[in-house]
Amino acid sequence: MAPETQQLLSALGDRLGAGGVLAGSDVDQRYRDDPEGRPGSLPEAVLRPRDTEGVAAALTACNHLGQPVVVQGGRTGQTGATPPA
């Protein structure tokens, strides 16, 4: 895992709470491929904020560390716009 990702997880672990940060083997394949089966890349980490304050904290931390962000909403595949690369 990249040092930047480790810093990000340390900064957000408490803020996002249990289940709010996934990394390593906790990152399921469903975060790689889109719902129609088009392949993407498995992300190093997945942030799952539960409220607007959590979203703001996650985006602030990512911006501070220069960490790229891929936003995934309901994962319906209707737009085909969010497979991570």
Side-chain angles (χ1 to χ4, degrees):
M1 182 176 299
E4 296 84 4
T5 304
Q6 290 177 335
Q7 283 182 299
L8 181 65
L9 300 181
S10 293
L12 291 173
D14 290 336
R15 173 62 187 90
L16 298 183
V21 176
L22 304 177
S25 62
D26 291 334
V27 178
D28 191 271
Q29 293 296 317
R30 65 187 169 129
Y31 292 106
R32 183 194 72 186
D33 301 339
D34 77 2
E36 293 187 7
R38 291 181 289 238
S41 298
L42 190 64
E44 278 193 297
V46 175
L47 306 177
R48 302 187 312 174
R50 292 185 170 90
D51 53 30
T52 55
E53 290 83 11
V55 172
L59 291 177
T60 297
C62 288
N63 184 54
H64 177 73
L65 295 169
Q67 183 69 41
V69 174
V70 175
V71 178
Q72 292 184 334
R75 298 193 35 78
T76 63
Q78 290 181 341
T79 64
T82 61

